[in-house]
Amino acid sequence: MSERTERTARTGRTRRTAEEPTAVELTKTAPDTGKEPGTASVPVPPVPPVRRPRSPSLLAGCVLVGLIVAVALVSLFWVPYAPDDTTGGRLMSPGLPHLLGTDKLGRDLLTQLMTGARIALEAGLGAIAIGTALGVCAGLAAGFATRWLDDTLSTLLDVLIAFPTLLLAMLMVAARSASLSSAVLAIGFAMTAVVARLTRILVKRVLAQDYITAARTSGTSWPRVITGHVLPNIWPTLVVNLAQQFGLAVMAEASLSFLGLGAPPPNASWGRMLHEAQATVFSAPTGVIAPGVLLVMLVVGVNLIADGLRDTLDPTRRRSR
């Protein structure tokens, strides 16, 4: 009787063991949730996107420059009077029909200010385009050149930088006729050396990185290295520098126009307006104050944009603040 009972109990344990899943089967069948068994599933909240703080300098600069750009765009389609209209009377005070008055020749000051805004932007953008095209190409050539060619280009750039920008522009404009195109070409060529030197320094710094060596080892051609690695890593610093150079270009154009080497009449440059109004600064101060204020607004606005771009594009400065 006891043997039969023991045999029956042994058979029941064998059946239960066969029916129970093993640890290996549990591992195969249980879904991999990345958590330990028995722990409760806690939903993970989504991570909000990181928003960069807005730069007050960038916003203030955009407002100042945006006002000048709006005035320049309006002058393309509408101005109160023709730039050469002298029927308004000499040195009229601000009011109707001339909101800002007239100059010593009877020309409307508001019309001249609107036209001068367009000329200032054209001069700045044109000079920056010429300086960027020539300077970046020269800087890339110096950065990738052999040692003796690099030394030669560096010496030539140092000689050009030693000349003041305004003096070099005056020499080039004096060799040609006094016009807006001559002034833009001269200012752009004078800025080429500054842009080229900065580009060379940045290219040398990028070429010393390990990822450039890895790209060349993997068989990447030099044109692909330039477009894929060099230019994307140097453009933030270049943009900030070019924004500063824009303000210098506007000041250089106004200086050339003040000396009579800029846009000829009836083109109303802010520098020419300051030159013509210096004899009537006490009797008609609007002719001096208005172009001076707009010139300061544009230059200060561009410098604020450059400062804001530096804070936005440079992560180290952003973290320090």
Side-chain angles (χ1 to χ4, degrees):
M1 183 69 180
S2 60
E3 293 179 359
R4 183 181 301 175
T5 304
E6 184 179 354
R7 189 182 301 117
T8 303
R10 189 183 303 157
T11 305
R13 286 197 302 268
T14 306
R15 290 177 179 175
R16 285 195 300 269
T17 304
E19 292 175 357
E20 293 176 358
T22 62
V24 177
E25 292 176 349
L26 287 174
T27 304
K28 292 182 178 179
T29 57
D32 186 11
T33 59
K35 301 178 181 179
E36 297 181 357
T39 58
S41 176
V42 179
V44 180
V47 179
V50 179
R51 299 183 61 183
R52 294 182 177 180
R54 296 181 179 179
S55 174
S57 300
L58 183 60
L59 294 178
C62 289
V63 171
L64 293 177
V65 177
L67 293 176
I68 304 298
V69 172
V71 172
L73 291 177
V74 172
S75 69
L76 294 175
F77 306 100
W78 176 83
V79 287
Y81 296 90
D84 55 351
D85 187 0
T86 59
T87 60
R90 297 178 66 252
L91 301 177
M92 291 184 61
S93 301
L96 294 177
H98 302 279
L99 295 179
L100 295 180
T102 59
D103 61 0
K104 62 181 182 180
L105 297 179
R107 296 172 297 186
D108 183 67
L109 285 180
L110 180 58
T111 300
Q112 296 187 68
L113 290 175
M114 295 175 65
T115 307
R118 176 173 52 84
I119 292 177
L121 293 178
E122 289 178 356
L125 293 176
I128 289 300
I130 295 173
T132 302
L134 298 178
V136 171
C137 292
L140 288 174
F144 283 89
T146 57
R147 182 171 182 177
W148 69 270
L149 184 57
D150 182 21
D151 294 340
T152 303
L153 292 177
S154 300
T155 304
L156 180 60
L157 293 178
D158 292 338
V159 171
L160 292 177
I161 293 176
F163 282 93
T165 301
L166 184 60
L167 178 60
L168 186 60
M170 290 174 58
L171 293 176
M172 294 187 62
V173 172
R176 304 182 59 186
S177 59
S179 62
L180 180 61
S181 59
S182 299
V184 171
L185 182 62
I187 297 170
F189 183 79
M191 290 184 175
T192 299
V194 179
V195 179
R197 186 177 183 181
L198 177 62
T199 304
R200 172 189 171 274
I201 294 173
L202 297 176
V203 169
K204 290 287 187 181
R205 186 181 305 170
V206 172
L207 291 179
Q209 302 299 319
D210 294 336
Y211 58 84
I212 299 296
T213 305
R216 288 295 298 161
T217 304
S218 63
T220 306
S221 61
W222 280 120
R224 293 290 299 274
V225 170
I226 294 175
T227 57
H229 297 285
V230 176
L231 292 179
N233 283 282
I234 69 174
W235 77 265
T237 307
L238 277 180
V239 167
V240 175
N241 181 262
L242 292 177
Q244 296 174 343
Q245 295 296 323
F246 180 89
L248 296 177
V250 172
M251 290 295 297
E253 187 278 330
S255 301
L256 290 177
S257 297
F258 185 86
L259 298 175
L261 299 176
N267 297 315
S269 172
W270 291 341
R272 181 176 290 277
M273 291 179 64
L274 290 173
H275 173 74
E276 293 176 350
Q278 62 181 345
T280 59
V281 63
F282 296 106
S283 59
T286 308
V288 176
I289 295 175
V293 168
L294 291 181
L295 185 61
V296 171
M297 282 181 55
L298 181 57
V299 175
V300 171
V302 171
N303 288 331
L304 289 176
I305 290 177
D307 187 60
L309 288 176
R310 185 185 298 109
D311 295 339
T312 304
L313 298 177
D314 190 352
T316 58
R317 291 175 61 92
R318 189 166 60 246
R319 282 196 297 266
S320 63
R321 294 190 178 187

